Amino acid sequence: MLYWIAAHLGFPGILNLLRYQSTRTGGAVATALIIGLIIGPRFIGWLRVRQGKGQPIRADGPQTHLAKRGTPTMGGLMILTSMTLAILLWMDLSNPYVWSCLFVTLGFGTIGFMDDYDKVRKASTAGISGRTRLLLEFAIAGIAATIIMSQNGPHLYLPFTSRMYIDLGWFFPVFAAFTIVSFGNAVNLTDGLDGLATMPVIIASVAFMVIVYLAGNVKFADYLGIPHVPGAGELAIFCGAVVGGGLAFLWFNAPPAAVFMGDTGSLALGGALGTIAVVAHHEIVLGIIGGLFVAEAMSVIIQVFFYKRTGKRVFRMAPIHHHFEQLGWSEPTVVIRFWIIALVLALVGLSTLKLR
């Protein structure tokens, strides 16, 4: 929007500066961060008044979590507000990838809000039915995936190879939607401790900020042997907005948390990262960079699978961060060690850009 204003009002100096994606990415980070820090205190106070008892705490979860009763949820609304304003301000709104990613982010955020609202209203951890939630998620992700396919083709590129890909044809929207929905729910499952999901999302966003910038630049993409996606570089600004909004939220979510992200935020941020990976043709690399989220989701799948068939548990509690709590790790220890794992995995994922 700033670029459009500068172009139509005749500010050549500002217009020249805004041509650089790096400038607008930095602006998006700063804007989302500042907005989040400004609205945070009043927003949290409003949530506390509206929600009363706050987010319901699992009775069968770690006993240390019972002390968190009364903490408001739906803090993801704060992230979505700050990052959306930054996106609308700094991004090129004529780019279809911007609207595809924003559609998934706000769509998943709405589903998460419905789930959070239902939990608070009923004072239950159940929320809306899993079937309804998944149907809505796949509908939103499928629309976005079809739009993306119409822009850059139905190809699944393989890491560690130079532009080698599988043509998925009309199966691509199904695969892409599955990627987006899976990653959205993986981030959602990870969001169980103060700050546990937020920082890995920020780390993954920084990694994909680099990836989409390189994929959008024909010279860099040709040099690295990665797929060139015209217009994908604009999503570096989107990633910057996620980083800024995430940092602002982390300021209030640091232990002891003043607010929880809730499904409103975790589902939206996971969906955003999944969509960005689909646009950049780095869906498999997303599984490496977001390996922490994948491990959290797999721990739940493994636990449910084996318990239904054998009556025995593989982990003391799932998702896996609760397993380590049951082993005696303190919450800050789990969170910081998982942050380190997320950082290492992001570096491994970025190394795939050169190992071809």
Coordinates of all heavy atoms in Angstrom, one line a residue, residues 78-125:
M78 N -4.0 -11.0 18.7 CA -3.1 -9.9 18.7 C -2.0 -10.0 17.6 O -1.6 -9.0 17.0 CB -2.4 -9.8 20.1 CG -1.5 -8.7 20.4 SD -0.8 -8.7 22.0 CE 0.4 -10.0 21.9
I79 N -1.6 -11.3 17.4 CA -0.6 -11.5 16.4 C -1.2 -11.2 15.0 O -0.6 -10.6 14.2 CB -0.1 -13.0 16.4 CG1 0.5 -13.3 17.8 CG2 0.9 -13.3 15.3 CD1 0.9 -14.8 18.0
L80 N -2.4 -11.7 14.8 CA -3.0 -11.6 13.5 C -3.3 -10.1 13.2 O -3.2 -9.7 12.0 CB -4.3 -12.4 13.4 CG -4.2 -13.9 13.5 CD1 -5.5 -14.6 13.4 CD2 -3.3 -14.4 12.4
T81 N -3.7 -9.3 14.2 CA -4.0 -7.9 14.0 C -2.7 -7.2 13.6 O -2.7 -6.4 12.6 CB -4.5 -7.3 15.3 OG1 -5.8 -7.9 15.6 CG2 -4.8 -5.8 15.1
S82 N -1.6 -7.4 14.3 CA -0.4 -6.6 14.1 C 0.2 -7.1 12.7 O 0.7 -6.2 11.9 CB 0.6 -6.9 15.2 OG 0.9 -8.2 15.4
M83 N 0.2 -8.4 12.4 CA 0.9 -8.8 11.2 C 0.0 -8.4 10.0 O 0.6 -8.1 8.9 CB 1.2 -10.3 11.2 CG 0.0 -11.2 11.3 SD 0.5 -13.0 11.2 CE 0.8 -13.2 9.5
T84 N -1.3 -8.5 10.1 CA -2.1 -8.1 8.9 C -2.0 -6.7 8.6 O -1.9 -6.3 7.4 CB -3.6 -8.5 9.3 OG1 -3.8 -9.9 9.5 CG2 -4.5 -8.1 8.1
L85 N -2.0 -5.8 9.6 CA -1.8 -4.4 9.3 C -0.4 -4.1 8.7 O -0.3 -3.3 7.7 CB -1.9 -3.6 10.6 CG -3.3 -3.5 11.2 CD1 -3.3 -2.8 12.6 CD2 -4.3 -2.8 10.3
A86 N 0.6 -4.8 9.1 CA 1.9 -4.7 8.5 C 2.0 -5.2 7.1 O 2.6 -4.6 6.2 CB 3.0 -5.4 9.4
I87 N 1.3 -6.3 6.8 CA 1.2 -6.8 5.5 C 0.5 -5.9 4.5 O 1.0 -5.6 3.4 CB 0.5 -8.2 5.5 CG1 1.4 -9.3 6.2 CG2 0.1 -8.6 4.1 CD1 0.7 -10.5 6.5
L88 N -0.6 -5.4 4.9 CA -1.4 -4.4 4.1 C -0.6 -3.2 3.9 O -0.8 -2.5 2.8 CB -2.7 -4.1 4.7 CG -3.7 -5.3 4.9 CD1 -5.0 -4.9 5.6 CD2 -4.0 -5.9 3.5
L89 N 0.2 -2.8 4.8 CA 1.0 -1.5 4.7 C 2.2 -1.6 3.8 O 2.5 -0.7 3.0 CB 1.4 -1.0 6.1 CG 2.0 0.3 6.2 CD1 1.0 1.4 5.8 CD2 2.6 0.6 7.6
W90 N 2.9 -2.8 3.9 CA 4.2 -2.9 3.2 C 4.3 -3.8 2.0 O 5.2 -3.7 1.2 CB 5.2 -3.4 4.2 CG 5.6 -2.4 5.3 CD1 5.1 -2.4 6.6 CD2 6.4 -1.3 5.2 NE1 5.6 -1.4 7.3 CE2 6.4 -0.7 6.5 CE3 7.2 -0.8 4.2 CZ2 7.2 0.5 6.8 CZ3 8.0 0.4 4.5 CH2 7.9 1.0 5.8
M91 N 3.3 -4.6 1.8 CA 3.4 -5.6 0.7 C 2.7 -5.0 -0.6 O 1.9 -4.1 -0.6 CB 2.7 -6.9 1.1 CG 3.4 -7.6 2.2 SD 2.9 -9.4 2.4 CE 3.6 -10.1 1.0
D92 N 3.1 -5.6 -1.7 CA 2.5 -5.4 -3.0 C 1.2 -6.1 -3.1 O 1.2 -7.3 -3.3 CB 3.5 -5.8 -4.1 CG 2.9 -5.6 -5.5 OD1 1.8 -5.0 -5.6 OD2 3.5 -6.1 -6.5
L93 N 0.1 -5.4 -3.0 CA -1.2 -6.1 -2.9 C -1.7 -6.6 -4.2 O -2.8 -7.2 -4.3 CB -2.2 -5.1 -2.2 CG -1.8 -4.6 -0.8 CD1 -2.9 -3.8 -0.3 CD2 -1.6 -5.8 0.1
S94 N -1.0 -6.3 -5.3 CA -1.3 -6.9 -6.6 C -0.8 -8.3 -6.8 O -1.1 -9.0 -7.8 CB -0.8 -6.0 -7.7 OG 0.6 -6.0 -7.8
N95 N 0.0 -8.8 -5.9 CA 0.6 -10.1 -5.9 C -0.3 -11.1 -5.4 O -0.8 -11.1 -4.3 CB 1.9 -10.1 -5.1 CG 2.7 -11.4 -5.2 OD1 2.2 -12.5 -5.2 ND2 4.0 -11.2 -5.4
P96 N -0.7 -12.1 -6.3 CA -1.7 -13.1 -5.9 C -1.3 -14.0 -4.7 O -2.1 -14.5 -3.9 CB -1.9 -14.0 -7.1 CG -0.7 -13.7 -7.9 CD -0.2 -12.3 -7.7
Y97 N 0.1 -14.2 -4.6 CA 0.6 -15.0 -3.5 C 0.3 -14.3 -2.1 O 0.1 -15.0 -1.1 CB 2.1 -15.2 -3.6 CG 2.4 -16.0 -4.8 CD1 3.5 -15.6 -5.6 CD2 1.7 -17.1 -5.2 CE1 3.9 -16.3 -6.8 CE2 2.1 -17.8 -6.4 CZ 3.1 -17.4 -7.2 OH 3.5 -18.1 -8.3
V98 N 0.3 -13.0 -2.1 CA 0.0 -12.3 -0.8 C -1.4 -12.7 -0.4 O -1.6 -13.0 0.8 CB 0.1 -10.8 -1.1 CG1 -0.4 -10.0 0.2 CG2 1.5 -10.4 -1.5
W99 N -2.4 -12.6 -1.3 CA -3.8 -12.9 -0.9 C -4.0 -14.4 -0.6 O -4.8 -14.7 0.3 CB -4.7 -12.4 -2.0 CG -4.7 -10.9 -2.1 CD1 -4.1 -10.2 -3.1 CD2 -5.2 -10.0 -1.2 NE1 -4.2 -8.8 -2.9 CE2 -4.9 -8.7 -1.7 CE3 -5.8 -10.1 0.0 CZ2 -5.2 -7.5 -1.0 CZ3 -6.2 -8.9 0.7 CH2 -5.9 -7.6 0.2
S100 N -3.3 -15.3 -1.3 CA -3.4 -16.7 -1.0 C -3.0 -17.0 0.5 O -3.6 -17.7 1.2 CB -2.6 -17.5 -2.0 OG -3.1 -17.4 -3.3
C101 N -1.8 -16.4 0.8 CA -1.3 -16.7 2.2 C -2.1 -16.0 3.2 O -2.4 -16.5 4.3 CB 0.2 -16.1 2.3 SG 1.4 -17.1 1.3
L102 N -2.6 -14.8 2.9 CA -3.4 -14.1 3.9 C -4.8 -14.8 4.0 O -5.3 -14.8 5.2 CB -3.6 -12.6 3.4 CG -4.1 -11.6 4.5 CD1 -3.2 -11.6 5.7 CD2 -4.2 -10.2 3.9
F103 N -5.3 -15.3 3.0 CA -6.6 -16.0 3.0 C -6.5 -17.2 3.9 O -7.4 -17.5 4.8 CB -7.0 -16.5 1.6 CG -8.2 -17.3 1.5 CD1 -9.4 -16.8 1.8 CD2 -8.1 -18.7 1.1 CE1 -10.6 -17.6 1.8 CE2 -9.2 -19.5 1.0 CZ -10.5 -19.0 1.4
V104 N -5.4 -18.0 3.8 CA -5.2 -19.2 4.7 C -5.0 -18.7 6.1 O -5.6 -19.3 7.1 CB -4.0 -20.0 4.2 CG1 -3.7 -21.1 5.2 CG2 -4.3 -20.7 2.8
T105 N -4.1 -17.7 6.3 CA -3.8 -17.3 7.7 C -5.1 -16.8 8.4 O -5.3 -17.2 9.5 CB -2.8 -16.1 7.6 OG1 -1.6 -16.5 6.9 CG2 -2.4 -15.7 9.0
L106 N -5.8 -15.9 7.8 CA -7.0 -15.4 8.5 C -8.2 -16.5 8.5 O -8.9 -16.5 9.5 CB -7.6 -14.2 7.7 CG -6.6 -13.0 7.7 CD1 -7.2 -11.8 7.0 CD2 -6.2 -12.6 9.2
G107 N -8.2 -17.3 7.5 CA -9.2 -18.4 7.5 C -8.9 -19.4 8.6 O -9.9 -19.8 9.4
F108 N -7.7 -19.8 8.7 CA -7.3 -20.8 9.8 C -7.5 -20.1 11.2 O -7.8 -20.7 12.2 CB -5.9 -21.3 9.6 CG -5.8 -22.4 8.7 CD1 -6.6 -22.6 7.6 CD2 -4.8 -23.4 8.9 CE1 -6.5 -23.7 6.7 CE2 -4.7 -24.5 8.1 CZ -5.6 -24.6 7.0
G109 N -7.1 -18.8 11.2 CA -7.3 -18.0 12.5 C -8.8 -18.0 12.9 O -9.1 -18.1 14.1
T110 N -9.7 -17.8 11.9 CA -11.1 -17.8 12.2 C -11.5 -19.2 12.8 O -12.3 -19.3 13.8 CB -11.9 -17.5 11.0 OG1 -11.5 -16.2 10.5 CG2 -13.4 -17.5 11.3
I111 N -11.1 -20.3 12.2 CA -11.4 -21.6 12.7 C -10.9 -21.8 14.1 O -11.5 -22.3 15.0 CB -10.8 -22.7 11.8 CG1 -11.4 -22.6 10.4 CG2 -11.0 -24.1 12.4 CD1 -10.7 -23.5 9.3
G112 N -9.6 -21.3 14.3 CA -9.0 -21.4 15.7 C -9.8 -20.6 16.7 O -10.0 -21.0 17.8
F113 N -10.3 -19.4 16.2 CA -11.1 -18.6 17.1 C -12.4 -19.3 17.5 O -12.8 -19.2 18.7 CB -11.4 -17.2 16.4 CG -12.3 -16.3 17.2 CD1 -11.8 -15.5 18.2 CD2 -13.6 -16.3 17.0 CE1 -12.6 -14.7 19.0 CE2 -14.5 -15.5 17.7 CZ -14.0 -14.7 18.7
M114 N -13.0 -19.9 16.5 CA -14.2 -20.6 16.8 C -14.0 -21.7 17.9 O -14.8 -21.9 18.8 CB -14.8 -21.2 15.5 CG -15.3 -20.2 14.5 SD -15.5 -20.9 12.9 CE -16.6 -22.4 13.2
D115 N -12.9 -22.4 17.7 CA -12.5 -23.5 18.6 C -12.2 -22.9 20.0 O -12.7 -23.5 21.0 CB -11.3 -24.2 18.1 CG -11.2 -25.6 18.7 OD1 -12.1 -26.3 18.7 OD2 -10.0 -25.9 19.2
D116 N -11.4 -21.9 20.1 CA -11.1 -21.2 21.4 C -12.4 -20.7 22.1 O -12.6 -20.9 23.3 CB -10.1 -20.1 21.2 CG -8.7 -20.5 20.9 OD1 -8.4 -21.7 21.3 OD2 -8.0 -19.8 20.3
Y117 N -13.2 -20.1 21.3 CA -14.5 -19.5 21.8 C -15.4 -20.6 22.4 O -16.0 -20.4 23.5 CB -15.2 -18.7 20.7 CG -16.5 -18.1 21.2 CD1 -16.5 -16.9 22.0 CD2 -17.8 -18.7 21.0 CE1 -17.7 -16.4 22.4 CE2 -18.9 -18.2 21.4 CZ -18.9 -17.0 22.1 OH -20.1 -16.4 22.6
D118 N -15.4 -21.7 21.7 CA -16.3 -22.8 22.2 C -15.7 -23.4 23.5 O -16.5 -23.7 24.4 CB -16.3 -23.9 21.1 CG -17.5 -24.8 21.2 OD1 -18.6 -24.2 21.3 OD2 -17.4 -26.0 21.1
K119 N -14.4 -23.5 23.6 CA -13.8 -24.0 24.8 C -14.0 -23.1 26.0 O -14.4 -23.5 27.1 CB -12.2 -24.1 24.6 CG -11.8 -25.2 23.6 CD -10.3 -25.2 23.4 CE -9.9 -26.2 22.4 NZ -8.5 -26.2 22.1
V120 N -13.9 -21.8 25.8 CA -14.1 -20.8 26.9 C -15.6 -20.8 27.3 O -15.9 -20.8 28.5 CB -13.6 -19.4 26.4 CG1 -14.0 -18.4 27.5 CG2 -12.1 -19.4 26.2
R121 N -16.4 -20.8 26.3 CA -17.9 -20.7 26.6 C -18.4 -21.9 27.3 O -19.2 -21.8 28.3 CB -18.7 -20.6 25.2 CG -20.2 -20.4 25.4 CD -20.8 -20.1 24.1 NE -20.7 -21.2 23.1 CZ -21.5 -22.3 23.1 NH1 -22.5 -22.4 23.9 NH2 -21.3 -23.3 22.2
K122 N -17.9 -23.1 27.0 CA -18.3 -24.3 27.6 C -17.4 -24.7 28.8 O -17.7 -25.7 29.5 CB -18.3 -25.5 26.6 CG -19.3 -25.3 25.5 CD -19.2 -26.5 24.5 CE -20.2 -26.4 23.3 NZ -20.0 -27.5 22.3
A123 N -16.3 -23.9 29.0 CA -15.4 -24.3 30.1 C -14.9 -25.7 29.9 O -14.8 -26.5 30.9 CB -16.0 -24.1 31.5
S124 N -14.5 -26.1 28.6 CA -14.1 -27.4 28.3 C -12.9 -27.3 27.4 O -12.8 -26.4 26.6 CB -15.3 -28.2 27.7 OG -14.8 -29.4 27.1
T125 N -12.1 -28.4 27.4 CA -11.0 -28.4 26.4 C -11.3 -29.1 25.1 O -10.5 -29.2 24.2 CB -9.8 -29.3 27.1 OG1 -10.3 -30.6 27.4 CG2 -9.3 -28.6 28.3

